[in-house]
Amino acid sequence: AQSVTQPDIHITVSEGASLELRCNYSYGATPYLFWYVQSPGQGLQLLLKYFSGDTLVQGIKGFEAEFKRSQSSFNLRKPSVHWSDAAEYFCAFLFSGGYNKLIFGAGTRLAVHP
Amino acid sequence: GAVVSQHPSWVICKSGTSVKIECRSLDFQATTMFWYRQFPKQSLMLMATSNEGSKATYEQGVEKDKFLINHASLTLSTLTVTSAHPEDSSFYICSARDLSGGIEAFFGQGTRLTVV
């Protein structure tokens, strides 16, 4: 079955440290993958997306993600985390059956220590 | 560009009443809109997909008569929670897609519904 998994529910990092949030997908073909960020009580903001081509994708706010077909992964990275990055991060997968609906992972809550 | 607006941002209603949430695409025509529900500290669960001028397609387990979705125009979809109960309290988020512009969907800011 098609799905997206975020293994880490909570992650805490120190400000200035590097960050990697994991995302794994299960799909029979090359998927369309997204990373969104959500601040408390807010909607979703798209950080970056992968459709095809270069497997290293640059996004907003200094984030990047790398698509690795061999590992079925699309991990989000940032070299130096800022306190304002504390939020909930969702990996999403475009399920191309029917109306091309987005299916979300469970999310990873990021806390940043000063 | 590509702005999706939800209204209201939050609403409190009494048990047994109905509440309508609007989702508007402000600068593009949304042929497809999606409605999600999000419980506290949980992920977004797709409730239904609506296409302009046709009936919504509901995900398994979502009550069609409870959550009425109307997509009467290319810029507006509405979600009506009928006979609301406290367990319907949640964060509802819509997203909209313009197929002519690609497959990316744009999200509204969400609506916090509290049923008392």
PDB file of all heavy atoms in Angstrom, chain A residues 78-90:
ATOM      1  N   LYS A  78      18.768  20.712   7.452  1.00  0.00           N
ATOM      2  CA  LYS A  78      19.127  22.119   7.565  1.00  0.00           C
ATOM      3  C   LYS A  78      20.451  22.170   8.301  1.00  0.00           C
ATOM      4  O   LYS A  78      20.597  21.543   9.356  1.00  0.00           O
ATOM      5  CB  LYS A  78      18.062  22.922   8.306  1.00  0.00           C
ATOM      6  CG  LYS A  78      18.338  24.428   8.310  1.00  0.00           C
ATOM      7  CD  LYS A  78      17.150  25.228   8.820  1.00  0.00           C
ATOM      8  CE  LYS A  78      17.426  26.722   8.715  1.00  0.00           C
ATOM      9  NZ  LYS A  78      16.284  27.559   9.134  1.00  0.00           N
ATOM     10  N   PRO A  79      21.420  22.895   7.783  1.00  0.00           N
ATOM     11  CA  PRO A  79      22.755  22.876   8.396  1.00  0.00           C
ATOM     12  C   PRO A  79      22.820  23.556   9.752  1.00  0.00           C
ATOM     13  O   PRO A  79      23.611  23.145  10.609  1.00  0.00           O
ATOM     14  CB  PRO A  79      23.632  23.601   7.367  1.00  0.00           C
ATOM     15  CG  PRO A  79      22.707  24.306   6.456  1.00  0.00           C
ATOM     16  CD  PRO A  79      21.399  23.627   6.515  1.00  0.00           C
ATOM     17  N   SER A  80      21.998  24.571   9.978  1.00  0.00           N
ATOM     18  CA  SER A  80      22.062  25.296  11.238  1.00  0.00           C
ATOM     19  C   SER A  80      20.651  25.743  11.613  1.00  0.00           C
ATOM     20  O   SER A  80      20.065  26.603  10.955  1.00  0.00           O
ATOM     21  CB  SER A  80      22.996  26.512  11.113  1.00  0.00           C
ATOM     22  OG  SER A  80      23.015  27.251  12.311  1.00  0.00           O
ATOM     23  N   VAL A  81      20.140  25.186  12.675  1.00  0.00           N
ATOM     24  CA  VAL A  81      18.752  25.430  13.067  1.00  0.00           C
ATOM     25  C   VAL A  81      18.636  26.727  13.865  1.00  0.00           C
ATOM     26  O   VAL A  81      19.478  27.039  14.715  1.00  0.00           O
ATOM     27  CB  VAL A  81      18.233  24.247  13.899  1.00  0.00           C
ATOM     28  CG1 VAL A  81      16.879  24.560  14.499  1.00  0.00           C
ATOM     29  CG2 VAL A  81      18.131  23.000  13.019  1.00  0.00           C
ATOM     30  N   HIS A  82      17.550  27.442  13.609  1.00  0.00           N
ATOM     31  CA  HIS A  82      17.243  28.675  14.331  1.00  0.00           C
ATOM     32  C   HIS A  82      16.079  28.404  15.265  1.00  0.00           C
ATOM     33  O   HIS A  82      15.247  27.515  15.007  1.00  0.00           O
ATOM     34  CB  HIS A  82      16.902  29.783  13.317  1.00  0.00           C
ATOM     35  CG  HIS A  82      16.749  31.136  13.901  1.00  0.00           C
ATOM     36  ND1 HIS A  82      15.517  31.681  14.212  1.00  0.00           N
ATOM     37  CD2 HIS A  82      17.667  32.070  14.255  1.00  0.00           C
ATOM     38  CE1 HIS A  82      15.684  32.885  14.713  1.00  0.00           C
ATOM     39  NE2 HIS A  82      16.981  33.147  14.751  1.00  0.00           N
ATOM     40  N   TRP A  83      15.973  29.189  16.343  1.00  0.00           N
ATOM     41  CA  TRP A  83      14.887  28.954  17.289  1.00  0.00           C
ATOM     42  C   TRP A  83      13.521  29.039  16.610  1.00  0.00           C
ATOM     43  O   TRP A  83      12.571  28.349  16.997  1.00  0.00           O
ATOM     44  CB  TRP A  83      14.956  29.948  18.450  1.00  0.00           C
ATOM     45  CG  TRP A  83      14.751  31.389  18.051  1.00  0.00           C
ATOM     46  CD1 TRP A  83      15.718  32.301  17.744  1.00  0.00           C
ATOM     47  CD2 TRP A  83      13.506  32.064  17.885  1.00  0.00           C
ATOM     48  NE1 TRP A  83      15.155  33.491  17.404  1.00  0.00           N
ATOM     49  CE2 TRP A  83      13.797  33.386  17.483  1.00  0.00           C
ATOM     50  CE3 TRP A  83      12.161  31.688  18.032  1.00  0.00           C
ATOM     51  CZ2 TRP A  83      12.805  34.318  17.239  1.00  0.00           C
ATOM     52  CZ3 TRP A  83      11.168  32.621  17.798  1.00  0.00           C
ATOM     53  CH2 TRP A  83      11.496  33.922  17.383  1.00  0.00           C
ATOM     54  N   SER A  84      13.419  29.858  15.562  1.00  0.00           N
ATOM     55  CA  SER A  84      12.139  30.031  14.877  1.00  0.00           C
ATOM     56  C   SER A  84      11.749  28.805  14.039  1.00  0.00           C
ATOM     57  O   SER A  84      10.641  28.749  13.507  1.00  0.00           O
ATOM     58  CB  SER A  84      12.184  31.261  13.975  1.00  0.00           C
ATOM     59  OG  SER A  84      13.207  31.128  13.003  1.00  0.00           O
ATOM     60  N   ASP A  85      12.653  27.850  13.922  1.00  0.00           N
ATOM     61  CA  ASP A  85      12.334  26.628  13.178  1.00  0.00           C
ATOM     62  C   ASP A  85      11.500  25.645  13.997  1.00  0.00           C
ATOM     63  O   ASP A  85      11.014  24.641  13.454  1.00  0.00           O
ATOM     64  CB  ASP A  85      13.616  25.933  12.707  1.00  0.00           C
ATOM     65  CG  ASP A  85      14.371  26.734  11.663  1.00  0.00           C
ATOM     66  OD1 ASP A  85      13.716  27.384  10.821  1.00  0.00           O
ATOM     67  OD2 ASP A  85      15.623  26.721  11.691  1.00  0.00           O
ATOM     68  N   ALA A  86      11.336  25.905  15.272  1.00  0.00           N
ATOM     69  CA  ALA A  86      10.524  25.026  16.103  1.00  0.00           C
ATOM     70  C   ALA A  86       9.093  24.997  15.570  1.00  0.00           C
ATOM     71  O   ALA A  86       8.434  26.032  15.473  1.00  0.00           O
ATOM     72  CB  ALA A  86      10.540  25.509  17.549  1.00  0.00           C
ATOM     73  N   ALA A  87       8.634  23.830  15.215  1.00  0.00           N
ATOM     74  CA  ALA A  87       7.315  23.689  14.570  1.00  0.00           C
ATOM     75  C   ALA A  87       7.068  22.201  14.332  1.00  0.00           C
ATOM     76  O   ALA A  87       7.860  21.352  14.741  1.00  0.00           O
ATOM     77  CB  ALA A  87       7.280  24.448  13.245  1.00  0.00           C
ATOM     78  N   GLU A  88       5.975  21.918  13.665  1.00  0.00           N
ATOM     79  CA  GLU A  88       5.661  20.554  13.257  1.00  0.00           C
ATOM     80  C   GLU A  88       5.979  20.434  11.774  1.00  0.00           C
ATOM     81  O   GLU A  88       5.622  21.316  10.983  1.00  0.00           O
ATOM     82  CB  GLU A  88       4.171  20.262  13.482  1.00  0.00           C
ATOM     83  CG  GLU A  88       3.755  18.824  13.235  1.00  0.00           C
ATOM     84  CD  GLU A  88       3.928  17.958  14.474  1.00  0.00           C
ATOM     85  OE1 GLU A  88       4.009  18.514  15.572  1.00  0.00           O
ATOM     86  OE2 GLU A  88       3.975  16.715  14.313  1.00  0.00           O
ATOM     87  N   TYR A  89       6.653  19.350  11.411  1.00  0.00           N
ATOM     88  CA  TYR A  89       7.054  19.143  10.029  1.00  0.00           C
ATOM     89  C   TYR A  89       6.376  17.890   9.489  1.00  0.00           C
ATOM     90  O   TYR A  89       6.406  16.823  10.109  1.00  0.00           O
ATOM     91  CB  TYR A  89       8.579  19.009   9.926  1.00  0.00           C
ATOM     92  CG  TYR A  89       9.284  20.310  10.220  1.00  0.00           C
ATOM     93  CD1 TYR A  89       9.497  20.730  11.530  1.00  0.00           C
ATOM     94  CD2 TYR A  89       9.719  21.141   9.190  1.00  0.00           C
ATOM     95  CE1 TYR A  89      10.117  21.939  11.798  1.00  0.00           C
ATOM     96  CE2 TYR A  89      10.347  22.348   9.452  1.00  0.00           C
ATOM     97  CZ  TYR A  89      10.528  22.740  10.762  1.00  0.00           C
ATOM     98  OH  TYR A  89      11.138  23.939  11.024  1.00  0.00           O
ATOM     99  N   PHE A  90       5.793  18.044   8.312  1.00  0.00           N
ATOM    100  CA  PHE A  90       5.084  16.940   7.688  1.00  0.00           C
ATOM    101  C   PHE A  90       5.691  16.618   6.325  1.00  0.00           C
ATOM    102  O   PHE A  90       5.885  17.506   5.497  1.00  0.00           O
ATOM    103  CB  PHE A  90       3.600  17.280   7.488  1.00  0.00           C
ATOM    104  CG  PHE A  90       2.831  17.426   8.755  1.00  0.00           C
ATOM    105  CD1 PHE A  90       2.566  18.674   9.287  1.00  0.00           C
ATOM    106  CD2 PHE A  90       2.350  16.308   9.429  1.00  0.00           C
ATOM    107  CE1 PHE A  90       1.848  18.821  10.460  1.00  0.00           C
ATOM    108  CE2 PHE A  90       1.629  16.437  10.603  1.00  0.00           C
ATOM    109  CZ  PHE A  90       1.384  17.692  11.121  1.00  0.00           C
TER     110      PHE A  90
END
